[in-house]
Every structure is written in C-alpha cells, then in structure tokens.
C-alpha cells in the first residue's frame, strides 16, 4: 500500500491547489507568496515533492491534483485505521465513539447510507 502523508506545510500547499485548480504555476507562486509567505523556490520545491508522492501534477505549467482532497483524506484515514487498529474499523469506532449520543448519530448515518 502506498503511503499518503504530507508535512503540515505540504498540506497547506495542497489545500491551495485543491481550492484553485487548475492553477498556473506562476499564479501558484503568487498565491503561496501571499498566503504562506513563501518564496518562488520554496513553492517549486514543495510542488516537486508532492508530484513525486503522486498527489499533484505539473504539466505544461498547469498544476492539478492527481488525488482530489476527498480521495487523499480517505486514503490517509484508511492508512491510520490499518496501522493503529490493524485494519479493524469496528475497533477504531469503539475507540472513537465516546458516548451513546455519538453512537446513535453514527448508526443513523449508516442506516441512511444503506437506504441510498
């Protein structure tokens, strides 16, 4: 299983791409300078890392995501359950749910999903 992890700075960068894609690399440099306080070299270094991880791509100076935000966080969540709870979703849910009200809400969501 491929590991999907990002450092906090990489995650902020990916969020910018997800919010603005497709985005030209020049525009991305301006966004990172304005919102993250980064220099051009930092932007391109982080972009290269996330392209190597298979999360983003830069083709013809247009940056887009390979993994959409929901897909990335879904894969990351499954990795967490696998590594911490041996892949057992019931064990994860047991640890996660702190009270009866949360359990009832989760049951309602599961029942609603079954009906769709």
């Amino acid at each position: 299983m491929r590991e999907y992890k990002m450092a906090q700075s990489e995650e902020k960068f990916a969020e910018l791409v997800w919010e603005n894609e497709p985005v030209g690399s020049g525009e991305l440099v301006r966004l990172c300078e304005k919102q993250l306080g980064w220099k051009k070299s930092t932007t391109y270094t982080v972009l290269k890392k996330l392209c190597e991880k298979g999360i983003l791509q830069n083709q013809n100076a247009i940056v887009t995501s390979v993994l959409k935000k929901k897909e990335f966080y879904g894969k990351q969540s499954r990795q967490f359950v696998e590594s911490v709870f041996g892949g057992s979703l019931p064990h994860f849910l047991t640890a996660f749910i702190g009270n009866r009200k949360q359990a009832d809400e989760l049951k309602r969501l599961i029942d609603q999903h079954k009906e769709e």
Side-chain angles (χ1 to χ4, degrees), residues 27-43:
E27 176 62 18
L28 187 56
V29 167
R30 286 187 285 284
L31 284 169
C32 288
E33 181 180 19
K34 182 179 177 183
Q35 295 186 29
L36 303 174
W38 290 2
K39 295 181 179 179
K40 180 179 180 178
S41 59
T42 304
T43 298

Side-chain angles (χ1 to χ4, degrees), residues 104-116:
D104 290 342
E105 176 67 11
L106 183 59
K107 183 180 181 320
R108 186 190 65 74
L109 289 171
I110 291 170
D111 290 344
Q112 181 181 6
H113 181 70
K114 283 184 196 177
E115 294 171 4
E116 294 176 352

Side-chain angles (χ1 to χ4, degrees), residues 41-92:
S41 59
T42 304
T43 298
Y44 283 115
T45 298
V46 175
L47 175 58
K48 182 180 178 196
K49 285 181 182 180
L50 293 183
C51 288
E52 289 170 353
K53 290 181 179 186
I55 297 168
L56 302 178
Q57 62 185 357
N58 184 7
Q59 295 180 335
N60 300 318
I62 302 296
V63 180
T64 58
S65 61
V66 174
L67 285 178
K68 300 300 180 200
K69 182 177 181 176
K70 188 174 182 177
E71 292 173 304
F72 173 77
Y73 287 115
K75 288 179 184 289
Q76 196 176 48
S77 297
R78 285 187 290 283
Q79 280 178 198
F80 175 77
V81 171
E82 183 66 38
S83 66
V84 177
F85 296 95
S88 172
L89 190 55
H91 287 136
F92 166 74

